[in-house]
Short mmCIF file of all heavy atoms in Angstrom, two decimals:
data_model
loop_
_atom_site.label_atom_id
_atom_site.label_comp_id
_atom_site.label_asym_id
_atom_site.label_seq_id
_atom_site.Cartn_x
_atom_site.Cartn_y
_atom_site.Cartn_z
N MET A 609 89.27 96.93 150.03
CA MET A 609 90.56 96.22 150.08
C MET A 609 91.64 97.23 150.29
O MET A 609 92.63 96.93 150.96
CB MET A 609 90.77 95.48 148.76
CG MET A 609 89.92 94.31 148.60
SD MET A 609 90.35 93.44 147.14
CE MET A 609 88.91 92.44 146.89
N ILE A 638 78.54 91.17 152.57
CA ILE A 638 79.13 90.46 153.76
C ILE A 638 80.63 90.56 153.75
O ILE A 638 81.28 90.95 154.69
CB ILE A 638 78.66 88.99 153.85
CG1 ILE A 638 77.30 88.98 154.31
CG2 ILE A 638 79.62 88.20 154.78
CD1 ILE A 638 76.86 87.78 154.77
N GLU A 723 96.51 80.08 170.66
CA GLU A 723 95.35 79.89 171.63
C GLU A 723 94.26 79.08 170.94
O GLU A 723 93.41 78.51 171.66
CB GLU A 723 94.84 81.24 172.13
CG GLU A 723 95.81 82.05 173.04
CD GLU A 723 96.75 82.79 172.23
OE1 GLU A 723 96.90 82.61 171.00
OE2 GLU A 723 97.58 83.62 172.82
#
Side-chain angles (χ1 to χ4, degrees):
Chain A
M609 288 184 198
I638 285 200
E723 292 83 350

